[in-house]
Amino acid sequence: MTEEMADKYKGRKISITFPDQLFERISEAADTEVRSFSQQVVFLCMEAFKTRDEEALPDKNVNKSTLQDDSGS
């Protein structure tokens, strides 16, 4: 991995146990969208929070800078 790529994906590393069916769905989506598993999880979380914030706070000014997709997708 290049230094530029490493900087792009800085963050916290954690261990998560996924139910088998959820793991398979994420893996299939990652393959289809040409992302790593972890990049797909981040992408899906960001999309879910973006949707959640837009639905829950349609008239409020949500800090969308924390929801930017830096994965280039």
Side-chain angles (χ1 to χ4, degrees):
M1 179 181 299
T2 68
E3 186 175 328
E4 181 180 319
M5 288 176 68
D7 286 343
K8 185 176 182 181
Y9 295 107
K10 281 187 179 178
R12 295 178 188 227
K13 294 182 182 182
I14 61 170
S15 175
I16 301 175
T17 302
F18 289 93
D20 289 337
Q21 288 180 325
L22 181 57
F23 182 88
E24 290 303 320
R25 289 191 67 185
I26 295 169
S27 292
E28 290 172 8
D31 289 344
T32 300
E33 298 178 26
V34 192
R35 291 188 179 99
S36 70
F37 184 88
S38 62
Q39 288 171 335
Q40 187 67 20
V41 170
V42 170
F43 175 79
L44 292 171
C45 287
M46 290 171 62
E47 288 294 303
F49 276 111
K50 179 179 174 185
T51 300
R52 180 178 183 226
D53 290 343
E54 288 171 354
E55 290 174 357
L57 304 168
D59 297 327
K60 304 272 182 174
N61 186 8
V62 176
N63 183 359
K64 295 181 180 175
S65 66
T66 61
L67 303 175
Q68 295 300 314
D69 181 6
D70 294 331
S71 66
S73 302

